[in-house]
Amino acid sequence: MASKRSSVFAAILAMTLVAGALSAQGKVTLRLAWWGNPTRDARTMQVVELYMKLHPEVTIETETTGWAGYWDKLGSQAAARNLPDIIQQDYSYITQYAQKDLLLDLGPYVQAKKIDLSGVPDTFTSGGKVDGKLYGVSLGTNAFCFLLDSAALQKAGLEPPKPSWTMADFEKMANAIYAKTGVQTPVFSSTDPKVMFNDWLRQNKQTFFNVADGSSLGFSDTKLLVEFYESQLRMLKSKAMTPPDVSFGQTTPDESRLTKGQEWNLAVWSNQVVSTQAPMKRPVLITLLPRIADSKQPGTFLKPSMFFSVTKGSENKEEAVKFVNFFMNDLEANKILLAERGIPIVQKVRDSLKAMVDPLNKQIFEFIDLVGNKNSSPIDPADPAGAGEVLKVFRTVDQEVLFGQTAPQAGAEKFIKQANDILAKNKK
Amino acid sequence: MDSNARAIARPRPRQALADNLAGYAFIGPWLFGFFAFSLIPIFSSAYFSFTRYDLLSSPVFIGAKNYAAMLRDSVFWKSLGVTFFYVAFAVPLRLIFALLLAMLFNRKSRLMRLYQAVYYFPSIVGGSIAVAVLWRRLFKDDGAINSILAVFGIDTHISWIGNPKTAIWTLILLAAWQFGSSMLIFLAGLKQIPESYYESANLDGAGSVRKFVSITIPQLSSVILFNLLMQTINGFTVFTQAFVISGGNGDPMNNTLVYALYLYQKSFSYYEMGYGCAMAWILVLIISIFTALIFKSSSSWVYYESKEN
């Protein structure tokens, strides 16, 4: 009796040990967070499932939100020391997160080829470096572009613009299209009005933020900003531009005036072209931003659209790195992702995609080639602390001027003063 | 008998301990919630308000600098102005709607229960995304409101939500529409007023206005005080509606940037948690002042039966 009981006991003990060993050996849980849109979410989930099928020992939990809520959530998670293992990072936040010691230096992993970036030029990876260390690998290359509704141009009997078109051409075009078809122009990049003005500054060989320490703006003369306002006011006066109360209120591509055929252009990042065009269901053109009068250099730049970073607090750094490598290099995975995050930086991935993408994505590939081929200037350093608040002031003053409550000159002075007040705290 | 009585009067220490433990066990969940989600956050927020805290790294003590910075922050004053404007119109409007509807429903009829439920509904769904979408559709440039106005020959093409002059009014209207909980409290108050008062007023030949002013309002005054207090506090802390309708940025030109929304932006979007906490304490101060003022004034307009005797 006693021996029987003890053998049962031994069997149970053995089973427990085996089970324990199994679970200790395998079963890694990784948390992956990104901001996105429905298209990106679906494709990323598919890649995650593919990865889990190939690596049954890994479970990946995903967290996704829109852009706005993402940084709020990530900030709270950082405060609670509960960041996911892999986070999607942005050029404007990566410095802040890296300097607070929250991100893992991926340099050694790249050197050991655990993340295989062989043959990728420095220009594609340097955006992820802070103080010489690599804190994020770029998931794609991006550039700001103008998306035009081909049908509206045709109806107005206009030719597609040349890459060298100017702001004067643009205004003429806007007025002509409005006169012939009643289709309007939105206010300049209404979701983030700074992006287009930044392009103008760069054409003038200036930067938005002071490059040295970000303790002030990079420009102090009001001339260009006043012209930015006045150009829009002229088109508002001729009714070629959508009034600001309507223009600023737009939310999703589904409901946008571009989709409804009430506007003929939108300034977007090249990786937003697909989701912007999707509800339109008609052909679009993408082209460079117009040049300002006496433009000194191209204002457009190639930007790492977003990064994957591994967090320093992760308990499974090796496994996290493995997944990042898969995401960057696996052809099957990238056939699912279809360059939605931007044009991939790994050559063989880019080549395999180029052969299979649809006409719209082909246009985007060609556009990035066009930008890379003498139509760009180097990217500015990442935004300093306080940038978010400065952009909010830019938007507020922009609205004040376009609603006619502040004169352009007064608005420009007001913005420069308020922005410098915010940035002054960066002085060391 | 004797010993039994003594046992009840003075329980043995052990049993007392057991009784107490059982008691604490029963209020345990509440105690946990109170400490974890109220008391500790209140104390930490008081401490954070004296620090520079960017969420990503540990807070640094900086004394009263956050409070000093507020005085120079033009957006802070703007958001304060927006909030006062909102409270000044949203609270009275909501109370008036609530009282009118409560009087309408204060009858004996089977359908009244249904009506009450229907009119309470907006208060439940008020903070949801669905309502924000509905509100956007109603007040857009090509929304339902403009279509209805067009039927009457009024041709407006403005977006009520995007226009700087009208944007805040869409929020105030939404608040007025969510009168449900105040309405229920008014309704309970109305049912407490003895029917005999109205009967004797009828005998004296009083009209309905006279009855409303001389009976309903005084009899209801303590309920009005309660609703006024609760809704004023609610008004100062309004967040969700402003957040969803303006897309979280207080558009246009910060004209719908209510205090709590700015507090949220500072804390979570700009990573200035210390400043956000300081703002929260200023809000506590403002609400305390208004509550005190309302209480102080109440002695001159709230009618308590007991005082009469």
Side-chain angles (χ1 to χ4, degrees), chain A residues 238-379:
Chain A
S238 71
K239 301 231 165 85
M241 186 171 269
T242 311
D245 58 326
V246 177
S247 220
F248 280 107
Q250 301 193 43
T251 44
T252 58
D254 290 337
E255 295 193 315
S256 77
R257 290 168 58 81
L258 178 72
T259 300
K260 291 181 191 159
Q262 295 163 331
E263 285 172 355
W264 62 276
N265 73 69
L266 193 66
V268 292
W269 288 98
S270 56
N271 70 334
Q272 295 167 337
V273 167
V274 172
S275 58
T276 308
Q277 188 272 343
M280 291 173 68
K281 300 188 178 89
R282 54 182 187 275
V284 296
L285 292 169
I286 47 177
T287 183
L288 289 164
L289 264 60
R291 292 181 190 171
I292 54 170
D294 44 70
S295 164
K296 297 187 179 96
Q297 67 173 16
T300 310
F301 57 93
L302 291 171
K303 174 184 176 282
S305 65
M306 54 199 82
F307 307 98
F308 265 161
S309 294
V310 175
T311 51
K312 212 162 196 179
S314 166
E315 284 167 14
N316 297 300
K317 297 189 179 73
E318 291 286 333
E319 288 296 332
V321 163
K322 248 193 208 166
F323 177 77
V324 172
N325 184 48
F326 175 80
F327 207 86
M328 301 288 301
N329 284 298
D330 189 83
L331 294 182
E332 280 309 307
N334 277 282
K335 275 178 191 165
I336 296 170
L337 295 167
L338 278 178
E340 191 276 328
R341 281 180 168 83
I343 307 301
I345 62 169
V346 177
Q347 183 74 41
K348 63 169 196 228
V349 173
R350 208 162 48 232
D351 289 343
S352 79
L353 286 184
K354 227 179 199 168
M356 61 168 286
V357 292
D358 58 280
L360 182 62
N361 273 295
K362 203 163 160 243
Q363 264 202 72
I364 302 171
F365 274 81
E366 281 163 6
F367 175 74
I368 294 293
D369 283 346
L370 174 75
V371 172
N373 187 16
K374 292 186 188 148
N375 282 306
S376 63
S377 49
I379 189 169

Side-chain angles (χ1 to χ4, degrees), chain A residues 71 255 389 392 395 399, chain B residues 137 251 253-254 266 271:
Chain A
W71 299 103
E255 295 193 315
E389 212 169 345
K392 177 74 171 91
R395 187 183 163 91
Q399 290 181 343
Chain B
R137 300 243 163 191
D251 266 359
M253 289 163 22
N254 290 341
K266 273 284 185 186
Y271 289 2

Side-chain angles (χ1 to χ4, degrees), chain A residues 71-72 74-76 78-79 81 93 96-97 100 102 244-246 248-249 251 255 257 260 262 388-389 392 395-396 399-400 403 405 418 425, chain B residues 53-58 74 136-137 140-142 157-159 162-164 249-254 257 262 264-266 268-272:
Chain A
W71 299 103
D72 306 358
L74 218 55
S76 325
R81 299 284 169 258
Y93 283 87
Q96 209 174 351
Y97 275 74
K100 302 293 179 192
L102 294 164
D245 58 326
V246 177
F248 280 107
T251 44
E255 295 193 315
R257 290 168 58 81
K260 291 181 191 159
Q262 295 163 331
E389 212 169 345
K392 177 74 171 91
R395 187 183 163 91
T396 306
Q399 290 181 343
E400 283 177 13
F403 277 117
Q405 301 212 342
Q418 289 193 2
K425 67 182 168 211
Chain B
Y53 181 29
D54 66 3
L55 289 177
L56 307 182
S57 50
S58 305
S74 59
R136 277 182 167 280
R137 300 243 163 191
K140 261 169 32 163
D141 56 312
D142 53 356
H157 278 290
I158 65 163
S159 159
N163 187 292
N249 51 31
D251 266 359
M253 289 163 22
N254 290 341
L257 187 75
Y262 185 49
Y264 174 84
Q265 280 187 352
K266 273 284 185 186
F268 293 101
S269 303
Y270 308 148
Y271 289 2
E272 292 179 43

Side-chain angles (χ1 to χ4, degrees), chain A residues 14-15 117 119 139 191 292 303 333 362 397 410:
Chain A
M15 272 161 66
L117 297 182
L139 299 178
T191 47
I292 54 170
K303 174 184 176 282
K362 203 163 160 243
V397 176

Side-chain angles (χ1 to χ4, degrees), chain B residues 230-309:
Chain B
M230 296 312 286
Q231 295 309 325
T232 305
I233 294 171
N234 264 338
F236 274 113
T237 53
V238 62
F239 172 77
T240 321
Q241 292 88 338
F243 183 84
V244 277
I245 288 179
S246 79
N249 51 31
D251 266 359
M253 289 163 22
N254 290 341
N255 278 4
T256 60
L257 187 75
V258 292
Y259 194 90
L261 184 54
Y262 185 49
L263 190 159
Y264 174 84
Q265 280 187 352
K266 273 284 185 186
S267 310
F268 293 101
S269 303
Y270 308 148
Y271 289 2
E272 292 179 43
M273 187 51 85
Y275 191 93
C277 287
M279 277 185 72
W281 281 95
I282 295 297
L283 186 59
V284 169
L285 186 71
I286 292 170
I287 291 177
S288 312
I289 290 172
F290 272 85
T291 310
L293 284 177
I294 292 172
F295 261 119
K296 193 115 200 171
S297 76
S298 71
S299 60
S300 63
W301 59 272
V302 175
Y303 167 84
Y304 289 108
E305 204 129 338
S306 53
K307 266 189 196 164
E308 287 292 289
N309 301 338

